[in-house]
């Protein structure tokens, strides 16, 4: 079972109940559980949406769209039923924060789903977990059953006449692409998880054609805490235009990897050197992938930056899913880039040509470079391919593959060129034979 | 009582499937979970599974196969009793994921997507399993094992071989 870590700099809002046995519904209730949803029922949808807007909460899945605004986009009147869909298909390499939420505080996800449902006028919510999280699905399924048994879910919840809400838990079967919201809806409808054309956006035409709010599991789990503490108080914890805290997963070459809850805007350098204990075995830092594998890499001199959506964008990268991957001096960037692109090539759904072909060509080219048979044109070719994938696909998977590639070739160009010249940097971890073993 | 004649599933699974198709606004939503649960019981998605699932949902077998071929966790060939999935994506790679995979290959004497002769284990190299902060990690069936070392892998595999390992389904 994943070990819990902690550090004095943490501000525990969403992780407040971790490790306290809150998977038990009675314990959860004892720790202020299901109070927020009852407040939401009393105060009504406008109060909920206004509180969420005031909180400055931005989507924790990676896109960072303001949650209150997203909820307010759902039409008040709709002929078709409305739905809430919780995205727990966490598959971005470097990211394991939702894992911890489902493991330690499944009721927070359930309560958040109910709050979102009340805010938009939906009576049915779905919690969708990736297929690999079956043991976590069992925990969530039990939590949902317990909530039904207490009368918190179903008809006339909390004894309130005419207030109904149901939750269905669902599991995927292994596809990174399904983490994209429209592909997630396709998968939930029992189809191949390929993206839909937008517009129409899910808020208007979503699941089963009805207006749908889709939120990341961490976003949804934040909602009860926000209602309890008040939007303004939550916003104050974070930085400008980036309310609250966030779960950051720090992994790779650090002394104390783990999921830490830090205020938005917390300094990345401190997160690595103080919170996660610095670089493993006293080695030197080489690079940081700050928000999951799709985010452009940062050099050691670029990491003195605040961890929020705006400051990271200013630094030329992204906050993404909050999965910080730390690379020490022994890592070969060519090898690392090849492993990253191999993942995206494997996971491309194949619908859009720039993504399907682009990921494959970049992988083939980098494989050649890594094998020692690269030509001088290869680096420019990789950059050309990645640039031509950007913004040319229906879903962001094309961008997710292109952005890190561009970051690697721009910031470590010399290392790629040295490889082509026959001077290899870093300690090899994989051979090409190993790499093609599964791909 | 089910409207579909149950031919291959246990009574418990058949009852679960009967319920599953009724809970969603659209019957077809039950397809992906149904294939996973069927696979857990039968060992893989056989032709018989495809036929029965198609009938239970009321879609063509072709529609089932179309979905079946998309998801990496669904398989059309039997795996071992314990399917060992080693993650080699970036966070695991940086902390020895490939070493763990090679160790498993050596110890079990099989390669990627192969099954041991006795049918106890199968091995797979998989993409990120969401255990990045506890890397390197692997999954045996649906059970996570983190912070692996080769010694720890030996112990884990021995536990399963003795039939004492957890088997979360």
């Amino acid at each position: 079972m994943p070990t819990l870590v902690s550090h004095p700099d943490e501000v525990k809002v969403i992780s407040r109940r971790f490790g306290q046995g809150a998977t038990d519904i009675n314990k959860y209730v004892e720790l202020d559980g299901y109070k927020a949803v009852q407040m939401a029922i009393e105060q009504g949808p406008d109060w909920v949406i206004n509180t969420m807007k005031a909180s400055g909460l931005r989507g924790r899945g990676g896109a960072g769209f303001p949650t209150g605004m997203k909820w307010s986009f759902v039409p008040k009147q709709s002929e078709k039923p409305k739905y809430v869909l919780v995205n727990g298909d966490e598959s971005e390499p470097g990211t394991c924060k939702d894992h911890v939420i489902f493991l330690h505080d499944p009721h927070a996800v359930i309560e958040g789903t109910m709050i979102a449902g009340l805010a938009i006028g939906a009576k049915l919510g779905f919690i969708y977990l990736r297929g690999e999280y079956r043991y976590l699905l069992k925990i969530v399924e039990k939590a949902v059953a317990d909530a039904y048994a207490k009368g918190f879910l179903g008809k006339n919840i909390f004894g309130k006449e005419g207030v109904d809400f149901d939750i269905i838990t669902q599991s995927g079967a292994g596809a990174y692409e399904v983490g994209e919201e429209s592909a997630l809806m396709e998968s939930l409808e029992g189809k191949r998880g390929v993206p839909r054309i937008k517009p129409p956006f899910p808020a208007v035409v979503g699941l089963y054609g009805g207006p749908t709010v889709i939120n990341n599991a961490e976003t949804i789990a934040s909602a009860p805490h926000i209602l309890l503490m008040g939007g303004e108080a939550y916003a104050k914890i974070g930085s400008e235009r980036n309310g609250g805290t966030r779960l950051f997963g720090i992994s790779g070459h650090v002394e104390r990897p783990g999921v830490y809850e830090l205020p938005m805007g917390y300094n990345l350098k401190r997160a690595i050197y103080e919170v996660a204990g610095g670089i493993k075995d006293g080695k030197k830092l080489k690079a940081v992938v700050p928000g999951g594998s799709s985010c452009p890499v940062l050099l050691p001199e670029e990491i003195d930056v605040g961890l929020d959506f705006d400051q990271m964008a200013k630094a030329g990268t992204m906050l993404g899913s909050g999965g910080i991957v730390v690379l020490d001096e022994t890592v070969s960037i060519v090898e690392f880039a090849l492993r990253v692109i191999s993942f995206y090539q494997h996971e491309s759904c194949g619908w859009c040509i720039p993504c399907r072909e682009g990921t494959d060509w970049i992988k083939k080219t980098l494989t050649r470079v890594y094998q020692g048979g690269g030509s001088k044109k290869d680096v420019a070719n990789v950059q050309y391919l990645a640039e031509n994938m950007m913004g040319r696909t229906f879903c962001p998977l094309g961008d997710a593959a292109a952005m890190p590639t561009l970051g690697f070739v721009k910031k470590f160009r010399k290392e790629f060129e040295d490889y082509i010249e026959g001077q290899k940097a870093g300690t090899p971890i994989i051979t090409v034979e190993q790499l093609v073993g599964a791909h | 009582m089910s409207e579909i004649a149950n031919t291959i599933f246990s009574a418990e699974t058949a009852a679960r499937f009967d319920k599953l198709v009724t809970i969603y606004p659209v019957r077809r939503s039950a397809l992906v979970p149904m294939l996973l649960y069927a696979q857990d019981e039968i060992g893989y998605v056989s032709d018989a599974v495809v036929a029965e699932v198609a009938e239970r949902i009321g879609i063509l077998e072709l529609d089932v196969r179309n979905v079946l071929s998309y998801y990496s966790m669904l398989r059309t060939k039997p795996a071992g009793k314990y399917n060992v999935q080693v993650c080699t994506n970036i966070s695991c790679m940086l902390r020895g994921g490939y070493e763990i995979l090679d160790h498993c290959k050596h110890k079990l004497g099989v390669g990627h997507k192969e099954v041991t002769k006795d049918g106890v284990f199968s091995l797979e190299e998989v993409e990120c399993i969401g255990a990045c902060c506890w890397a390197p990690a692997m999954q045996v069936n649906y059970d996570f094992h983190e912070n692996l070392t080769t010694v720890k892998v030996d112990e884990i595999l021995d536990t399963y071989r003795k039939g004492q390992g957890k088997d979360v389904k």
Side-chain angles (χ1 to χ4, degrees):
Chain A
M1 187 167 292
T3 36
L4 279 175
V5 285
S6 69
H7 187 269
D9 279 6
E10 279 189 287
V11 177
K12 302 215 173 197
V13 178
I14 196 167
S15 62
R16 177 161 76 84
R17 301 191 190 97
F18 289 5
Q20 295 194 55
T23 46
D24 179 286
I25 192 164
N26 295 318
K27 187 74 192 172
Y28 181 78
V29 170
E30 198 186 302
L31 298 167
D32 302 327
Y34 292 107
K35 263 189 198 163
V37 64
Q38 292 184 68
M39 283 162 72
I41 294 169
E42 297 297 332
Q43 306 281 339
D46 290 342
W47 175 79
V48 175
I49 288 177
N50 288 334
T51 309
M52 293 303 283
K53 278 184 177 168
S55 75
L57 177 74
R58 294 169 67 173
R60 301 309 195 217
F65 193 81
T67 307
M69 205 185 284
K70 193 182 220 179
W71 292 6
S72 71
F73 286 160
V74 177
K76 284 216 159 58
Q77 302 299 326
S78 168
E79 279 176 20
K80 295 206 168 183
K82 301 179 205 177
Y83 303 103
V84 177
L85 174 50
V86 180
N87 186 347
D89 192 88
E90 174 174 67
S91 313
E92 171 92 352
T95 316
C96 52
K97 65 191 176 63
D98 297 344
H99 191 139
V100 198
I101 301 174
F102 290 124
L103 180 66
H104 291 286
D105 207 3
H107 286 287
V109 181
I110 294 168
E111 192 178 358
T113 311
M114 296 163 77
I115 290 167
L118 287 160
I120 65 158
K123 291 189 182 302
L124 180 58
F126 296 87
I127 301 175
Y128 187 110
L129 269 64
R130 64 181 299 190
E132 290 86 347
Y133 284 0
R134 178 68 64 82
Y135 91 106
L136 298 169
L137 181 69
K138 288 210 154 197
I139 295 169
V140 180
E141 275 173 351
K142 185 185 178 296
V144 168
D146 291 346
Y148 269 106
K150 288 250 183 212
F152 297 171
L153 282 171
K155 287 215 174 302
N156 305 325
I157 54 175
F158 303 102
K160 299 272 189 309
E161 198 72 29
V163 187
D164 309 333
F165 198 78
D166 287 290
I167 286 181
I168 294 175
T169 48
Q170 160 92 4
S171 148
Y176 168 77
E177 175 55 22
V178 170
E180 194 276 332
E181 59 178 11
S182 65
L184 181 67
M185 296 191 297
E186 288 287 296
S187 179
L188 185 46
E189 291 180 10
K191 296 176 234 166
R192 289 169 81 90
V194 294
R196 294 178 183 174
I197 295 169
K198 286 187 253 186
F201 290 96
V204 184
V205 182
L207 205 52
Y208 311 114
T212 305
V213 149
I214 304 176
N215 281 130
N216 171 258
E218 187 187 353
T219 314
I220 279 287
S222 304
H225 299 289
I226 290 168
L227 297 196
L228 281 181
M229 70 192 294
E232 283 80 10
Y234 182 82
K236 252 190 219 159
I237 305 172
S239 53
E240 198 187 341
R241 294 184 61 239
N242 286 268
T245 60
R246 149 149 237 205
L247 296 175
F248 290 100
I250 311 178
S251 66
H253 292 143
V254 286
E255 283 291 346
R256 286 194 304 271
V259 178
Y260 298 91
E261 181 168 11
L262 298 168
M264 290 291 270
Y266 191 88
N267 187 278
L268 172 59
K269 195 171 184 174
R270 281 183 64 191
I272 294 168
Y273 281 96
E274 292 174 31
V275 178
I279 312 306
K280 196 168 169 270
D281 302 330
K283 290 211 167 63
K284 269 206 296 206
L285 177 68
K286 180 162 184 176
V288 178
V289 177
S293 60
S294 59
C295 299
V297 65
L298 290 174
L299 299 170
E301 58 268 30
E302 295 172 319
I303 62 166
D304 193 5
V305 57
L307 284 162
D308 69 29
F309 290 103
D310 301 324
Q311 292 182 65
M312 294 305 271
K314 227 171 152 185
T317 183
M318 294 183 308
L319 186 64
S321 61
I324 301 164
V325 186
V326 179
L327 282 62
D328 75 16
E329 57 190 321
T330 63
V331 180
S332 150
I333 292 295
V334 177
E335 182 177 32
F336 192 80
L338 178 56
R339 185 63 187 88
V340 170
I341 199 67
S342 299
F343 169 73
Y344 289 104
Q345 188 254 1
H346 185 262
E347 296 298 328
S348 172
C349 80
W351 189 25
C352 312
I353 298 164
C355 174
R356 184 183 68 218
E357 302 291 313
T359 50
D360 200 48
W361 283 26
I362 294 173
K363 185 185 147 187
K364 279 182 183 151
T365 314
L366 288 184
T367 302
R368 190 165 61 221
V369 170
Y370 186 59
Q371 264 177 324
S375 82
K376 279 188 177 165
K377 283 183 191 162
D378 282 342
V379 186
N381 270 343
V382 165
Q383 187 171 342
Y384 173 80
L385 286 163
E387 278 168 356
N388 280 286
M389 286 161 70
M390 285 294 291
R392 289 190 169 88
T393 49
F394 286 116
C395 91
L397 200 149
D399 294 353
M403 285 184 299
T405 306
L406 285 172
F408 291 131
V409 294
K410 280 181 185 166
K411 288 183 181 167
F412 290 92
R413 192 169 211 106
K414 183 152 184 332
E415 197 166 318
F416 284 86
E417 287 167 356
D418 284 352
Y419 251 81
I420 291 163
E421 298 284 328
Q423 303 146 19
K424 300 197 172 189
T427 316
I429 299 173
I430 46 171
T431 62
V432 169
E433 288 70 31
Q434 278 176 315
L435 191 78
V436 295
H439 295 90
Chain B
M1 269 305 279
S2 169
E3 57 206 89
I4 309 290
N6 180 47
T7 51
I8 49 173
F9 301 120
S10 66
E12 194 192 354
T13 302
R16 183 181 203 173
F17 287 176
D18 287 341
K19 194 179 168 216
L20 202 59
V21 288
T22 63
I23 60 170
Y24 296 97
V26 170
R27 211 176 163 87
R28 187 170 169 158
S29 283
L31 179 55
V32 175
M34 206 186 261
L35 288 173
L36 271 174
Y37 298 141
Q39 174 172 284
D40 292 343
E41 187 164 295
I42 309 292
Y44 68 109
V45 182
S46 62
D47 288 348
V49 168
V50 170
E52 185 162 330
V53 166
E55 204 187 342
R56 283 178 175 275
I57 292 183
I59 54 176
L60 299 174
E61 282 187 32
L62 180 71
D63 291 326
V64 177
R65 289 189 192 280
N66 200 3
V67 168
L68 171 62
S69 62
Y70 184 75
Y71 296 94
S72 65
M73 287 175 71
L74 298 171
R75 52 179 182 261
T76 51
K77 281 184 199 147
K81 186 177 178 213
Y82 300 109
N83 190 30
V84 179
Q85 300 184 305
V86 182
C87 175
T88 59
N89 211 304
I90 50 174
S91 298
C92 285
M93 167 188 172
L94 294 176
R95 292 182 84 95
Y98 278 95
E99 198 190 327
I100 298 297
L101 178 69
D102 282 346
H103 184 74
C104 287
K105 280 182 180 168
H106 180 73
K107 171 130 180 137
L108 299 174
V110 292
H112 172 60
K113 289 205 172 178
E114 289 176 359
V115 189
T116 55
K117 277 198 188 109
D118 58 7
V120 177
F121 291 106
S122 49
L123 182 64
E124 249 186 286
E125 177 184 356
V126 291
E127 296 296 355
C128 187
I129 54 173
C132 316
C133 292
W134 316 289
M138 68 180 190
Q139 239 184 325
V140 182
N141 290 348
Y142 293 111
D143 198 13
F144 276 78
H145 298 278
E146 299 98 355
N147 294 312
L148 297 174
T149 57
T150 49
V151 176
K152 214 167 154 186
V153 169
D154 285 345
E155 287 166 11
I156 292 164
L157 294 180
D158 286 345
T159 314
Y160 282 99
R161 195 181 289 282
K162 286 181 199 148
Q164 293 163 347
K166 266 201 291 174
D167 185 12
V168 180
K169 277 183 184 171

